[in-house]
Amino acid sequence: MNSACLQYGMTRTSSMVNFAPASTSSSSKKTITTSFPRSQGRGGKASTRDAVAEPSQQQNAPVQTFQRRPEDVVRSNGKEVELFALKACVKRQESGQLAPKMNVVPSALEPAFERCREVTAEYAKTFYLGTKLMTPEKQRAIWAIYVWCRRTDELVDGPNASHITPEALDKWEERLENIFAGKPLDVVDATLADTVSKFPVDIQPFRDMVDGMRMDLVKPRYETFDELYEYCYRVAGTVGLMSMPIMGLDENYRGDLQSVYKAALSLGLANQLTNILRDVGEDARERNRIYVPLEDLAEFGITEDEVLTGLVKNGKVDERWVKFMKFQIARARECFASAEAGVNCLNKDARWPVWSALDVYRDILDAIEANGYDNFTQRAYVPKLQKFGMLPTSFAKAQQGPTEEQQKGRWNE
């Protein structure tokens, strides 16, 4: 589905992305593969089995891989999964522990980072403009995370999604483990390996996002909001955990780190809920997926079949659906409100891009309302001019720092 893959401006999308470097070829065909060169084998010849780089320090333990059945992922407890990752990320950022550095010539990385920049600029335009306020190193790191998330999403929502198996996701996760071990398979992977060797980014939210893809293979319905919450964490909240070490904290912030991470998780949840509400009709028609909780539908007297066929007759939206959507939008706005509290605890150069992404995404909810709650025959969006018109307001909010209350201790329970 078109779900939020990166809360700070990234969204999951079914449009295909070409991750190969730009060329002069006239072909317009897009592909998720990369044509970057692989590393040299022992005999000096290019090897398709070797990683593109080796860690600069010997690792004593082999890379651990996790082969999980999608059915097992679905049966897990979302709140516990989220808490485990949250604590792991906080611990790593507090310790400053980095992944192993890799030995790779800069000339091999430069075109890969440039491609990451191009993809971010094309598919997350407003957020990309905000990232230009960051230091060059932070920019590259955020672009690398964006591209990894997008490549991951396209495994289950791209044009080859019908051929994706649990085993393919196992292989993708094995590639992830190798990235964090300093042994990326290709140079696009190497951009993320470079990032995690410079910033204290934990691997757990990346693993959890792969599990979110596993959920999409076997779970087209969500009975309760608690079930949906887990999915939202895996495909969107995870990105807040990935991004926090890059964004950094305000230089004067002395409060609780976990509270800021929780706000990042709230923003991921808010963005994902917004995507779900925007894309109800598309998900039902094209993918036979219903992400809104069935328990909530039943409370408003709405059946699955009605969602699949659409609740718009002769241009009029069913009143039950209007009431249902008002309830769902109110829930999403509560999540945005929870997220707002943490934005100004971020480093000053990260606040504007996050505020701009938050403000734009929240306005999608206004657009759904402006469409009369018809998300079956209309797609809610924020026009480009409106997005740019919001930037000064977002910039003004970003000039504030953390509050006195936030400096005292844990403020986001």
Side-chain angles (χ1 to χ4, degrees), residues 156-258:
V156 297
D157 266 350
N160 297 318
S162 61
H163 304 294
I164 292 298
T165 64
E167 291 73 25
L169 292 177
D170 290 344
K171 289 292 186 182
W172 185 252
E173 189 165 4
E174 186 176 354
R175 282 181 68 161
L176 170 67
E177 300 288 337
N178 283 328
I179 287 171
F180 274 78
K183 299 186 291 184
L185 183 63
D186 62 34
V187 186
V188 177
D189 283 357
T191 62
L192 183 58
D194 181 73
T195 294
V196 300
S197 72
K198 294 177 178 176
F199 296 91
V201 179
D202 196 82
I203 193 174
Q204 191 58 44
F206 293 83
R207 293 171 178 157
D208 290 343
M209 179 174 281
V210 178
D211 275 347
M213 305 305 112
R214 290 185 172 105
M215 292 179 74
D216 260 337
L217 291 183
V218 298
K219 194 170 178 64
R221 302 287 188 275
Y222 292 83
E223 290 290 338
T224 66
F225 181 71
D226 283 346
E227 285 188 10
L228 181 61
Y229 184 97
E230 177 179 358
Y231 178 74
C232 290
Y233 159 68
R234 290 190 184 280
V235 301
T238 47
V239 187
L241 302 185
M242 298 172 191
S243 306
M244 264 294 301
I246 315 300
M247 300 289 182
L249 294 171
D250 183 273
E251 60 182 5
N252 297 316
Y253 183 70
R254 299 294 182 269
D256 178 58
L257 180 58
Q258 182 168 308

Side-chain angles (χ1 to χ4, degrees), residues 76-369:
S76 59
N77 183 303
K79 294 284 188 179
E80 291 179 359
V81 169
E82 180 187 72
L83 182 61
F84 179 82
L86 171 66
K87 290 183 175 180
C89 291
V90 169
K91 181 179 180 180
R92 183 170 294 271
Q93 185 164 348
E94 289 178 336
S95 70
Q97 183 181 0
L98 304 175
K101 290 186 179 298
M102 57 183 181
N103 295 323
V104 58
V105 292
S107 60
L109 277 179
E110 288 306 318
F113 273 115
E114 174 60 18
R115 185 59 188 139
C116 291
R117 184 198 67 77
E118 291 173 351
V119 171
T120 308
E122 181 176 357
Y123 292 94
K125 294 179 176 63
T126 305
F127 178 74
Y128 170 75
L129 289 175
T131 64
K132 299 301 289 181
L133 295 174
M134 298 179 182
T135 64
E137 191 172 56
K138 283 187 177 183
Q139 290 177 35
R140 287 156 59 104
I142 289 295
W143 299 337
I145 290 175
Y146 179 92
V147 166
W148 184 87
C149 290
R150 194 162 189 108
R151 293 175 91 185
T152 302
D153 173 68
E154 287 196 350
L155 294 174
V156 297
D157 266 350
N160 297 318
S162 61
H163 304 294
I164 292 298
T165 64
E167 291 73 25
L169 292 177
D170 290 344
K171 289 292 186 182
W172 185 252
E173 189 165 4
E174 186 176 354
R175 282 181 68 161
L176 170 67
E177 300 288 337
N178 283 328
I179 287 171
F180 274 78
K183 299 186 291 184
L185 183 63
D186 62 34
V187 186
V188 177
D189 283 357
T191 62
L192 183 58
D194 181 73
T195 294
V196 300
S197 72
K198 294 177 178 176
F199 296 91
V201 179
D202 196 82
I203 193 174
Q204 191 58 44
F206 293 83
R207 293 171 178 157
D208 290 343
M209 179 174 281
V210 178
D211 275 347
M213 305 305 112
R214 290 185 172 105
M215 292 179 74
D216 260 337
L217 291 183
V218 298
K219 194 170 178 64
R221 302 287 188 275
Y222 292 83
E223 290 290 338
T224 66
F225 181 71
D226 283 346
E227 285 188 10
L228 181 61
Y229 184 97
E230 177 179 358
Y231 178 74
C232 290
Y233 159 68
R234 290 190 184 280
V235 301
T238 47
V239 187
L241 302 185
M242 298 172 191
S243 306
M244 264 294 301
I246 315 300
M247 300 289 182
L249 294 171
D250 183 273
E251 60 182 5
N252 297 316
Y253 183 70
R254 299 294 182 269
D256 178 58
L257 180 58
Q258 182 168 308
S259 295
V260 185
Y261 268 94
K262 281 190 172 183
L265 288 168
S266 293
L267 183 52
L269 175 61
N271 285 350
Q272 182 63 20
L273 293 177
T274 299
N275 275 339
I276 287 171
L277 298 180
R278 180 193 63 193
D279 299 334
V280 167
E282 179 183 336
D283 287 329
R285 285 190 310 273
E286 299 180 9
R287 305 176 184 91
N288 189 35
R289 294 180 187 168
I290 299 176
Y291 287 92
V292 291
L294 301 183
E295 183 178 77
D296 292 353
L297 289 173
E299 190 170 331
F300 286 86
I302 301 170
T303 66
E304 287 185 48
D305 287 342
E306 287 178 308
V307 175
L308 293 174
T309 58
L311 285 104
V312 180
K313 304 297 182 185
N314 300 319
K316 182 175 174 56
V317 181
D318 191 298
E319 190 59 33
R320 293 171 299 158
W321 186 253
V322 171
K323 292 179 180 178
F324 171 82
M325 284 300 299
K326 287 181 178 179
F327 172 78
Q328 300 296 330
I329 287 174
R331 173 188 279 160
R333 283 188 172 131
E334 288 178 1
C335 295
F336 277 118
S338 296
E340 281 187 344
V343 180
N344 284 339
C345 295
L346 299 176
N347 190 279
K348 189 174 183 178
D349 65 5
R351 295 200 290 257
W352 191 20
V354 175
W355 269 120
S356 62
L358 187 157
D359 289 340
V360 168
Y361 243 75
R362 183 166 45 195
D363 269 23
I364 294 175
L365 299 175
D366 296 343
I368 295 173
E369 292 174 332

